[in-house]
Amino acid sequence: MKHLFFICLVLLGTGVSAADYAGPIFDAHLHYSEEAWNGKSGPHPLPDVLSRMKRNGVKAIVANSRPNAGTLALASSELTKQAGVTVVPFIRLYRNRADYSSWFSDPTIYDMVQSEYAKGTAAGAYRGIGEFHLYESTNAKGVIAQKLMAFAEEKQLVILAHVDDVAIDLLMAATPSRGQKLKLIWAHTGIGGASAQRVDQLMARYPNLYGELSYRPGLVCDGGKLCPEWRALMQKYPTRFLLGSDTWVNGRWEQYDSIMQDYRRWLGDLPPDLANRIGWGNGAALFGLK
């Protein structure tokens, strides 16, 4: 009875109702970029962002930041351990904003990835590459993009890619296995609005394609519940969907509580095992966390 009372107090304190998902969360798309901190403190210093994670039950994060110093700060801080947050570090391809539109053909980006990978982090080896953007899908054919896909598969690194459905096929084709072995997290599961049917087609084609759900258009219908076609997709591919905050600007840090509350709301409308998989288990299994 005391345990149940404590859970109710926690839920009330975070704005989550008793009917919502109350388990741990794996935030599979998180940035701690220079907008949030300036290398010293900034508007969202480490104590601030970690307190947001802790009070929302976020137990692990995929950290990728511009520049990578933000991820390294999260990985090395004693405050991160105290908050009970496991950092899964990714190498981001952006040293600055100019890299967004040229990384796929810039040899110095490949060199930077090699250097970062060799150094690792205080939280251990880098586990992935990204998030990167391809505003034109044909840029997936860029020589550096192609080399990085092959490198990721060779080193068993996970890719986090903000791309359209056409680019998914092009990136997968660049790997030795033609996409059968590469693990790729599709940021926003197609922010441009690829249909649920197209997502289904790609997930059937690539056994290690994961859909991250921040900003996904058409995901939620009336009452904050999942739309029927997305509920059906999650039931068909229960191990392939992940949650993410995508804190790409400071406004997303300020909205972190509501972002996680919205996730908990629609997760609470799923069968408990499926809700736990999407909320925590899929990310934990992908990166070997307990």
Side-chain angles (χ1 to χ4, degrees):
M1 182 65 70
K2 289 181 180 179
H3 179 65
L4 179 60
F5 179 68
F6 173 75
I7 291 175
C8 290
L9 286 177
V10 171
L11 293 175
L12 288 170
T14 59
V16 177
S17 76
D20 295 342
Y21 169 72
I25 286 179
F26 193 119
D27 186 341
H29 185 167
L30 181 141
H31 306 292
Y32 192 43
S33 296
E34 62 184 0
E35 290 86 356
W37 77 308
N38 60 10
K40 297 177 182 178
S41 59
H44 293 289
L46 280 167
D48 175 78
V49 298
L50 288 165
S51 69
R52 293 172 191 271
M53 296 177 211
K54 184 175 181 179
R55 70 173 175 255
N56 283 285
V58 174
K59 298 296 185 181
I61 59 172
V62 165
N64 69 108
S65 310
R66 171 183 42 79
N68 287 302
T71 292
L72 295 174
L74 283 166
S76 63
S77 177
E78 185 64 29
L79 294 175
T80 307
K81 296 178 183 178
Q82 293 172 10
V85 176
T86 297
V87 175
V88 178
F90 273 38
I91 304 170
R92 200 159 196 212
L93 305 184
Y94 307 148
R95 300 158 297 190
N96 50 54
R97 286 200 173 274
D99 288 336
Y100 281 56
S101 57
S102 60
W103 69 267
F104 46 84
S105 58
D106 184 346
T108 67
I109 295 294
Y110 189 80
D111 294 341
M112 181 268 287
V113 170
Q114 302 299 303
S115 176
E116 287 291 332
Y117 180 74
K119 289 185 293 186
T121 79
Y126 281 104
R127 305 298 302 278
I129 297 172
E131 179 201 22
F132 60 73
H133 300 72
L134 285 173
Y135 301 113
E136 295 183 17
S137 55
T138 55
N139 289 332
K141 297 179 181 179
V143 62
I144 301 306
Q146 301 267 299
K147 286 179 67 175
L148 284 174
M149 294 307 103
F151 175 74
E153 184 168 294
E154 175 193 351
K155 300 299 184 182
Q156 298 183 335
L157 297 173
V158 180
I159 293 293
L160 175 58
H162 177 136
V163 299
D164 65 16
D165 57 309
V166 174
I168 291 290
D169 280 325
L170 293 173
L171 293 172
M172 292 297 198
T175 67
S177 72
R178 306 286 292 182
Q180 295 307 294
K181 293 182 180 179
L182 181 73
K183 295 178 180 178
L184 190 151
I185 299 173
W186 190 4
H188 321 299
T189 319
I191 196 169
S195 69
Q197 292 76 17
R198 177 62 170 152
V199 174
D200 187 358
Q201 181 187 58
L202 290 170
M203 286 194 159
R205 182 175 300 162
Y206 304 115
N208 295 299
L209 177 64
Y210 293 79
E212 183 272 318
L213 296 168
S214 63
Y215 282 110
R216 170 62 223 196
L219 179 69
V220 177
C221 289
D222 293 342
K225 303 296 178 64
L226 283 174
C227 295
E229 62 270 27
W230 284 93
R231 184 185 181 95
L233 264 182
M234 292 176 196
Q235 290 172 325
K236 184 173 182 178
Y237 300 103
T239 63
R240 308 274 289 281
F241 287 98
L242 305 163
L243 306 182
S245 59
D246 190 12
T247 49
W248 68 286
V249 291
N250 287 341
R252 294 289 284 183
W253 280 116
E254 291 147 18
Q255 298 163 7
Y256 200 85
D257 292 348
S258 63
I259 291 167
M260 293 303 158
Q261 288 166 18
D262 288 344
Y263 280 140
R264 289 186 180 280
R265 184 171 300 112
W266 63 250
L267 284 172
D269 195 43
L270 292 173
D273 181 64
L274 180 57
N276 186 70
R277 283 180 181 271
I278 295 170
W280 169 259
N282 292 342
L286 179 57
F287 296 104
L289 306 186
K290 294 182 181 178

